[in-house]
Amino acid sequence: MAMTKSKANTGSGCLTLFSLPFTIAGLCILGWTLWSLFGWQQAQSWVETPATLLETRLKTSRSDDSDTYQATARYRYQYAGKTYESDRVSLHSGSDNLGSYQQDLAKRLKKQFKDKKPWPAYVNPSDPTKAVLDRSLRPWFTLFKLGFGLVFAAVGIGMLVGARIMARKQGEKAQLSQEHPDQPWLQQPDWAAGRIESNQQYAIWFAWGFAFFWNLISWAASISAFTTAKDLPLWTYTIILGFPVIGLYLLGWAIYTTLQRARWGNSVFEMANVPGVIGGQLAGVIHVPGQLRPDDGVLLSLTRYVRRTKQTSDGDETYDDPQWQSDKLISRTMPGTKGGAAIPVAFHIPFEQHPTDEEEGHLWKLEAESNTPGVNYQAEFAVPVFRTEASSNAPPSESDLLAEYEEIPPLESLLNRIGGHLGRETDTSLQLCFPTGHRWKLGLLLGFFGLFFGGTGIGLLLERAWLLAIPFTLIGGGIFLAGLYYLTERIDLRISGDGLTVQRGPFGLVQQQRFTPEQIQAITVSASGTRSGNTVYQQIAIEPQEGKPVKLLTSLTRRADADRLAERFREILGPEVDL
């Protein structure tokens, strides 16, 4: 269906309107900061003269979230034989709670007032009606305003630029849609050209923007809490320090993605034919500007995703759920242009698969990754896959375009990737071991969030805030226990023609279950219900003839790994077990 021009402009127009408040607010804050710096520079040349304090106090403004403070005073001074009165205390108007500047200044003013001692005032010689009692800069306060303004302005201007780029691309797409109404693979410029750039540059911008914004807010809030709040309960440190710790992780993520781009450049997938054909092939070459010569090869994955939306307490959450995946291990790369590398790509796409349909949420992605010393290589491409006249339900031909480059990875390498070990493998039997700690990353992540929520809940219990304390404590405790489970769980699988035995459990408390082939109806692969970002963890389970399904392996990050293991289990158990 052709895209109309008005529909194409809707998204960019909304983004433009959404960006305006950020841009205006950021520029106003930057202007305010620069004006403050100019005022501070001018005040350094003002004339010092003694002032008599008439009154002074610390003004406190209370709200539900926090309290802010402002040192106020009224004073009298003389200049050039004339007497003046003023109530301007500092160069920074308004109240705040960044640091203890306002409280300290009010304390010193109050002491001088009680002792009936003069306070030095600084008078503008060009306009003696203007004076100030403290002309210091407050560097941290100025940096905070400057950083806040830069973030808002950068976000707003970035969205404006993005809206402009989006409008241009949508215009091109609308034009191509009108020219090729029945060929959707020619309705996007990069698809039509057969040259698709990796989305890594967008990932870098997102990583830095998110990390910068998170760290700015979390560190400013934490510093403010530690410098202004007195006698904080011990449990609050768990909450206050948790956000900066997450910020450091996000900063490390942004640095790593930048190093990847610096080392490998921006990869481009050049398609042999457009589009990738259902019941046919997706083929081409990935051009890598960097010198990619991996010892362990390059793992290629072609995956069909369905974009799903899940309702949460914070609103709707969108993620990509893998439905089908095929892997190929390329043992070596080809020489590329300008000293770079080229990765050959060829996948057969089964006839029953669903074509690309962005409106319905059906997406196809080509991914390439390789473990290399220092910074790993990784690239992702959104590729067009459709039914065409070349689509065929016939089995793929015996010839393989990648025969010279492809290497079938042994089962042991797959197990090592998911934290397992191959005990023994024959044509009729298989022993797998997943030792204690094989899911330590997931366990530590859940443990951290469990402590965060649990610490908050315990603190609320101490404050007798029962309504919030109980759910926070229960949720935090549950997440923490799940983390301990993943850290200490051990799994042993033994599969043979006589049946399947699974031993699993945490803390050395192992439970054993055994199934004969006659008791097994099917071995299934499905989403486990656990996600981390866009990674949807997969699980392998047994569907017995009677009773509930029994999980064998969970938290597998790759659909192709789960499919291959399930197929191997079925081969050993016999043809009567379905997939």
Side-chain angles (χ1 to χ4, degrees):
M1 183 175 64
M3 178 184 293
T4 63
K5 191 171 183 179
S6 59
K7 183 178 179 181
N9 291 333
T10 300
S12 59
C14 291
L15 184 59
T16 300
L17 291 175
F18 186 72
S19 68
L20 289 178
F22 287 90
T23 306
I24 294 172
L27 293 177
C28 288
I29 295 173
L30 286 176
W32 173 37
T33 305
L34 294 176
W35 181 254
S36 299
L37 288 172
F38 176 75
W40 167 77
Q41 184 183 29
Q42 293 292 104
Q44 303 312 300
S45 61
W46 289 6
V47 179
E48 180 179 337
T49 186
T52 301
L53 295 172
L54 303 177
E55 62 175 317
T56 179
R57 71 186 183 93
L58 178 65
K59 181 181 177 182
T60 303
S61 300
R62 303 189 182 280
S63 66
D64 294 336
D65 297 327
S66 62
D67 298 339
T68 58
Y69 308 94
Q70 182 183 11
T72 63
R74 191 167 59 86
Y75 54 94
R76 182 183 297 118
Y77 61 94
Q78 290 186 343
Y79 183 80
K82 293 184 178 181
T83 301
Y84 301 90
E85 284 191 13
S86 177
D87 60 0
R88 187 181 183 188
V89 174
S90 72
L91 297 174
H92 312 279
S93 60
S95 60
D96 63 80
N97 57 6
L98 293 176
S100 58
Y101 168 80
Q102 300 286 358
Q103 297 95 315
D104 294 341
L105 180 58
K107 185 177 180 180
R108 289 189 288 123
L109 287 169
K110 185 177 181 180
K111 185 177 185 304
Q112 291 290 96
F113 178 70
K114 284 185 176 182
D115 295 342
K116 297 183 179 180
K117 293 181 179 180
W119 183 283
Y122 302 93
V123 183
N124 184 354
S126 302
D127 185 1
T129 62
K130 296 180 179 179
V132 69
L133 296 181
D134 182 67
R135 60 178 181 180
S136 60
L137 178 62
R138 293 187 66 186
W140 286 111
F141 183 64
T142 303
L143 286 175
F144 176 79
K145 290 193 298 181
L146 184 63
F148 209 80
L150 284 173
V151 168
F152 269 75
V155 170
I157 294 173
M159 286 192 291
L160 282 174
V161 174
R164 185 67 179 269
I165 296 174
M166 181 187 296
R168 176 176 57 81
K169 289 186 175 181
Q170 287 179 334
E172 294 175 354
K173 186 175 180 180
Q175 180 65 32
L176 290 172
S177 297
Q178 294 176 358
E179 295 175 358
H180 308 282
D182 299 324
Q183 295 174 300
W185 54 88
L186 298 179
Q187 294 176 6
Q188 292 194 29
D190 54 346
W191 289 0
R195 290 180 60 86
I196 304 171
E197 292 188 2
S198 169
N199 63 2
Q200 188 182 32
Q201 58 181 338
Y202 302 107
I204 292 174
W205 281 106
F206 176 80
W208 276 108
F210 191 64
F212 186 73
F213 188 79
W214 183 284
N215 278 280
L216 177 70
I217 300 300
S218 62
W219 282 101
S222 299
I223 292 172
S224 175
F226 281 117
T227 55
T228 60
K230 306 297 183 183
D231 301 325
L232 285 174
L234 185 61
W235 63 271
T236 59
Y237 289 91
T238 304
I239 304 174
I240 295 173
L241 293 176
F243 290 101
V245 169
I246 297 174
L248 292 176
Y249 173 81
L250 294 174
L251 183 61
W253 168 47
I255 293 173
Y256 187 81
T257 56
T258 304
L259 291 175
Q260 281 185 315
R261 175 63 183 270
R263 180 174 181 182
W264 305 116
N266 193 37
S267 299
V268 176
F269 175 47
E270 183 176 4
M271 301 182 67
N273 295 288
V274 180
V277 179
I278 289 180
Q281 280 195 331
L282 174 80
V285 174
I286 298 175
H287 297 282
V288 184
Q291 297 182 2
L292 180 62
R293 306 288 188 269
D295 295 332
D296 297 330
V298 180
L299 182 64
L300 297 177
S301 302
L302 180 64
T303 311
R304 179 174 71 85
Y305 293 92
V306 173
R307 182 153 292 172
R308 303 189 187 280
T309 300
K310 180 180 179 181
Q311 291 185 345
T312 66
S313 58
D314 297 326
D316 292 342
E317 183 180 355
T318 301
Y319 64 97
D320 295 338
D321 186 9
Q323 301 297 300
W324 177 87
Q325 188 176 64
S326 178
D327 285 347
K328 289 183 181 293
L329 181 63
I330 306 302
S331 59
R332 60 186 178 87
T333 60
M334 302 184 299
T337 58
K338 298 181 180 180
I343 307 171
V345 176
F347 285 94
H348 176 76
I349 304 173
F351 186 77
E352 66 273 10
Q353 291 302 315
H354 198 289
T356 299
D357 189 338
E358 293 183 337
E359 292 186 359
E360 296 295 328
H362 294 275
L363 311 171
W364 286 82
K365 294 181 183 179
L366 172 66
E367 297 164 277
E369 59 182 67
S370 177
N371 294 326
T372 57
V375 181
N376 294 335
Y377 171 75
Q378 191 172 10
E380 180 181 284
F381 311 88
V383 294
V385 175
F386 291 91
R387 295 187 186 276
T388 69
E389 294 179 354
S391 297
S392 173
N393 198 17
S397 61
E398 294 295 330
S399 62
D400 192 340
L401 297 177
L402 299 184
E404 182 182 351
Y405 300 93
E406 184 180 3
E407 175 184 328
I408 299 177
L411 187 62
E412 187 170 4
S413 66
L414 183 156
L415 293 171
N416 290 337
R417 189 163 62 242
I418 60 178
H421 302 295
L422 181 62
R424 187 182 67 176
E425 181 182 18
T426 67
D427 293 339
T428 59
S429 66
L430 184 65
Q431 290 184 4
L432 308 180
C433 174
F434 295 84
T436 299
H438 69 277
R439 291 190 286 185
W440 64 271
K441 292 182 180 179
L442 182 59
L444 287 179
L445 180 65
L446 291 175
F448 173 79
F449 280 103
L451 287 175
F452 182 80
F453 278 92
T456 303
I458 293 173
L460 292 170
L461 282 174
L462 296 175
E463 297 293 330
R464 300 182 183 276
W466 310 111
L467 190 62
L468 292 175
I470 293 175
F472 266 92
T473 304
L474 292 177
I475 293 173
I479 296 175
F480 183 74
L481 289 176
L484 286 180
Y485 182 92
Y486 286 127
L487 282 173
T488 59
E489 183 190 32
R490 177 186 175 93
I491 304 174
D492 290 287
L493 290 174
R494 295 194 300 273
I495 305 104
S496 67
D498 296 331
L500 184 149
T501 302
V502 54
Q503 294 178 321
R504 67 185 307 158
F507 309 108
L509 304 175
V510 177
Q511 291 184 339
Q512 177 174 303
Q513 292 176 286
R514 177 168 175 78
F515 301 88
T516 64
E518 294 76 20
Q519 293 175 315
I520 302 174
Q521 179 179 346
I523 294 178
T524 62
V525 175
S526 62
S528 67
T530 304
R531 290 187 295 110
S532 176
N534 264 341
T535 300
V536 180
Y537 291 98
Q538 306 295 306
Q539 66 181 13
I540 303 175
I542 287 177
E543 284 193 7
Q545 298 289 352
E546 297 180 358
K548 297 180 179 179
V550 177
K551 297 178 182 179
L552 300 179
L553 298 173
T554 59
S555 303
L556 302 174
T557 58
R558 301 181 56 79
R559 176 75 185 219
D561 292 345
D563 287 337
R564 183 178 175 189
L565 283 173
E567 173 62 28
R568 184 71 179 111
F569 295 169
R570 191 201 66 81
E571 289 176 356
I572 295 175
L573 290 170
E576 62 272 13
V577 177
D578 296 329
L579 273 176

